[in-house]
Amino acid sequence: MKEKKKLNQNTFLLLVTILLFFVMYAIGCVLFNAQGFAKTQNFLNLFISNAGLIVIGIGMTIVMITGGIDISVGSFVAMGCMMLAWMMEKGGIGAVPAGLIGLVTGIVFGLVQGFLVAYMDIQPFIVTLAGMFFARGMTAIISKDMISITNETFMAWAKMKLYIPFGGYLNKKGMMIYPYIYPTVVIALVLLVLAFIMLKYTKFGRSIYAIGGNEAAAEVAGVNVYATKIRIYILASCMFGLAGCLLAAKSGGASVNTAQGYELDAIAACTIGGVSTTGGVGTVPGVLVGVLVFELMKVALQFMNVNSSYTYIVQGLVIIVAVAIDIRKYLAKK
């Protein structure tokens, strides 16, 4: 009975979010079928538009499961995006070396933040708040002006269409048009699968949940809490750096204002996807559904010709409900 109760607590919000997504999508298909809402390409566009945010959500999930938080996300993504654009367009560095340099930057950034959180015992919110200001400032130092990416190798990869051999339709000329995705979506989904496997089946993943559930108990059980936290922040920062690359591929450039508010979007997606704000609970598939739910809200409002600003109102209400459910579960454990 205890295991069943635990299962229900850990999966209830996720199941509700999945149900919400399918109900919203079904309603959209019925109401906006004439406008092409039900086309396979429109569904795939949910992933295309949010490949970067999905990767950010993976990193944020790992941090939140430990009971931490990282609000430097948007600024670091912007810095990574700007670094990549500057290196390719101004520094004469190739796409692959530029990407590797961005990855190394993520490792260093995560190492510093992880050290401050783990060994200096500074609250994650304060550490990542400092990281947020630092990264956004560095973005402006690299370039205050927008940099458009023209690197042929990078843009050829970014715009490569991977066609899906089903879900096509005949256009007005009688030609069969098949839906497609970009490599950014493939990368995001592969990382999602790898993160799921890591959290569920590896010792490192079990250590992450143990720290979030009860840090003192995890240390008694033999978990190296300090080293694990540092690895967590390094891994998360690598995800954020990669997300900057995916965002650059989507937008074809970088600016100081890139990814503003993405940390809030990621936290929101994690929260309604079943990641507990108190730590110890959460899955990356839940974050995927959370991201898709919010994007579906935006798309539905566009089809209704409603100001997209209303999305934030709905998003706020959904978060309040999700946090209320999470807190209620936490109090029930007490």
Side-chain angles (χ1 to χ4, degrees):
M1 289 295 292
K2 276 188 176 181
E3 185 63 29
K4 186 175 181 181
K5 184 178 179 182
K6 182 180 179 182
L7 178 64
N8 289 337
Q9 288 178 340
N10 290 356
T11 59
F12 175 71
L13 187 56
L14 173 59
L15 294 176
V16 169
T17 306
I18 293 173
L19 179 62
L20 175 63
F21 173 77
F22 282 110
V23 169
M24 288 172 58
Y25 190 77
I27 293 174
C29 289
V30 173
L31 295 180
F32 310 116
N33 185 53
Q35 293 100 308
F37 185 92
K39 287 182 178 179
T40 305
Q41 186 60 58
N42 280 329
F43 178 78
L44 294 177
N45 285 343
L46 299 177
F47 293 85
I48 292 173
S49 300
N50 292 280
L53 187 56
I54 291 170
V55 175
I56 292 171
I58 295 170
M60 186 67 77
T61 298
I62 295 170
V63 172
M64 288 182 66
I65 288 175
T66 65
I69 197 74
D70 191 335
I71 61 171
S72 68
V73 174
S75 297
F76 183 70
V77 168
M79 187 178 77
C81 194
M82 184 65 80
M83 283 180 59
L84 185 70
W86 188 91
M87 284 188 287
M88 288 190 294
E89 300 304 317
K90 308 291 184 181
I93 300 175
V96 175
L100 292 175
I101 292 172
L103 183 63
V104 172
T105 303
I107 293 174
V108 174
F109 196 82
L111 178 62
V112 172
Q113 292 202 141
F115 176 80
L116 293 174
V117 170
Y119 285 94
M120 302 300 291
D121 200 26
I122 304 175
Q123 287 293 324
F125 178 84
I126 301 300
V127 171
T128 57
L129 178 65
M132 179 183 73
F133 287 119
F134 173 83
R136 190 64 69 174
M138 284 300 300
T139 305
I141 288 175
I142 295 169
S143 177
K144 293 182 179 179
D145 300 320
M146 179 178 178
I147 299 178
S148 296
I149 298 175
T150 59
N151 183 281
E152 293 183 3
T153 302
F154 184 81
M155 294 311 297
W157 167 79
K159 301 302 179 185
M160 183 190 303
K161 292 182 178 180
L162 306 175
Y163 289 94
I164 309 298
F166 57 85
Y169 66 95
L170 292 173
N171 63 9
K172 294 180 180 179
K173 296 181 180 180
M175 295 178 60
M176 180 62 72
I177 305 298
Y178 287 100
Y180 61 86
I181 56 174
Y182 291 114
T184 53
V185 176
V186 176
I187 290 173
L189 295 180
V190 168
L191 288 175
L192 190 82
V193 172
L194 292 176
F196 173 78
I197 293 172
M198 179 201 73
L199 287 172
K200 191 172 179 64
Y201 298 107
T202 68
K203 181 181 178 181
F204 179 53
R206 290 190 291 271
S207 298
I208 293 173
Y209 281 107
I211 291 173
N214 189 316
E215 187 173 319
E219 192 168 9
V220 171
V223 175
N224 189 332
V225 174
Y226 299 129
T228 302
K229 281 187 176 182
I230 288 179
R231 290 168 64 189
I232 288 166
Y233 279 91
I234 290 175
L235 180 59
S237 291
C238 287
M239 290 289 181
F240 303 151
L242 181 56
C245 178
L246 301 187
L247 215 60
K250 175 190 171 185
S251 62
S255 72
V256 176
N257 296 322
T258 296
Q260 278 194 337
Y262 266 47
E263 59 276 358
L264 302 180
D265 290 339
I267 293 170
C270 289
T271 302
I272 73 162
V275 181
S276 175
T277 55
T278 58
V281 176
T283 62
V284 285
V287 177
L288 171 64
V289 180
V291 170
L292 296 180
V293 164
F294 286 132
E295 181 62 22
L296 191 58
M297 289 179 187
K298 296 177 185 177
V299 172
L301 290 175
Q302 288 174 2
F303 273 87
M304 291 188 292
N305 294 318
V306 176
N307 192 321
S308 60
S309 297
Y310 286 99
T311 306
Y312 296 110
I313 298 174
V314 178
Q315 187 171 332
L317 294 174
V318 172
I319 292 171
I320 290 173
V321 172
V323 172
I325 293 173
D326 182 45
I327 291 176
R328 187 175 177 181
K329 291 190 298 182
Y330 179 73
L331 293 176
K333 291 179 183 178
K334 295 290 186 179

